[in-house]
Amino acid sequence: MNTYSIVANTTPEAAYAYVADITTHPAWSPDSMKVEPEQAGPPAVGSKYKTEGHLVNKPNSAVVEITALTPDRSVTFTATDGNSIVQHEFVFTNEQGGTRIDRNVTGLKGPLIFKIIFPVLEPLVIRPGTMKCMGMLKDRLEEPKN
């Protein structure tokens, strides 16, 4: 598991509601992500979304499924593509007059080569890309509400 953290000037309730709504994720993705819900309705455990993002500058389709929701505290989902299953857990904690958001990313399934190259790619490519995404999330959460 790798953890990526930010502190945003917002409440845990607002951060939870925004992240739980998977359809908002393209607004804080640096790679022109697309999300389409497979069913109508509010986020719930078992909700699935068809997504398309980019992996190594190539289109990458995946299915995102919400696997756990703890209101105002955490959101967990898996992203399954043709090669891997990755779990993303967002944890929201009051801190410094705002909300600390920890994104815990765990590879659940993937090719052996991922385990070999991950330690090299994580500090050079993965961490900077994920922190850019987390910075964009912070920006969206701190935007003035009209």
Side-chain angles (χ1 to χ4, degrees):
M1 175 175 69
N2 289 80
T3 300
Y4 309 91
S5 303
I6 57 166
V7 175
N9 185 22
T10 191
T11 64
E13 295 82 7
Y16 166 85
Y18 190 73
V19 173
D21 182 356
I22 304 298
T23 64
T24 68
H25 291 208
W28 46 279
S29 172
D31 74 350
S32 302
M33 174 187 228
K34 296 177 186 170
V35 174
E36 181 182 322
E38 289 191 1
Q39 66 289 313
V45 172
S47 294
K48 291 184 180 180
Y49 306 80
K50 293 179 184 175
T51 67
E52 182 156 325
H54 289 84
L55 184 62
V56 198
N57 294 323
K58 294 181 181 171
N60 186 56
S61 297
V63 173
V64 168
E65 179 177 0
I66 297 175
T67 56
L69 293 171
T70 304
D72 308 331
R73 298 204 40 223
S74 67
V75 173
T76 306
F77 59 86
T78 57
T80 304
D81 65 17
N83 293 313
S84 62
I85 301 173
V86 179
Q87 177 178 279
H88 300 261
E89 176 193 39
F90 288 79
V91 179
F92 312 101
T93 310
N94 281 315
E95 183 175 301
Q96 301 173 7
T99 299
R100 177 185 173 98
I101 303 171
D102 293 311
R103 181 180 191 171
N104 303 311
V105 181
T106 306
L108 301 178
K109 179 184 170 198
L112 179 59
I113 191 70
F114 283 3
K115 290 181 182 184
I116 296 167
I117 64 171
F118 185 84
V120 174
L121 292 180
E122 200 283 332
L124 299 174
V125 178
I126 297 168
R127 180 165 294 275
T130 302
M131 289 310 298
K132 180 176 182 179
C133 180
M134 294 293 283
M136 291 174 71
L137 172 60
K138 175 180 166 58
D139 291 345
R140 295 305 170 272
L141 290 169
E142 292 179 348
E143 285 178 345
K145 308 294 184 255
N146 293 334

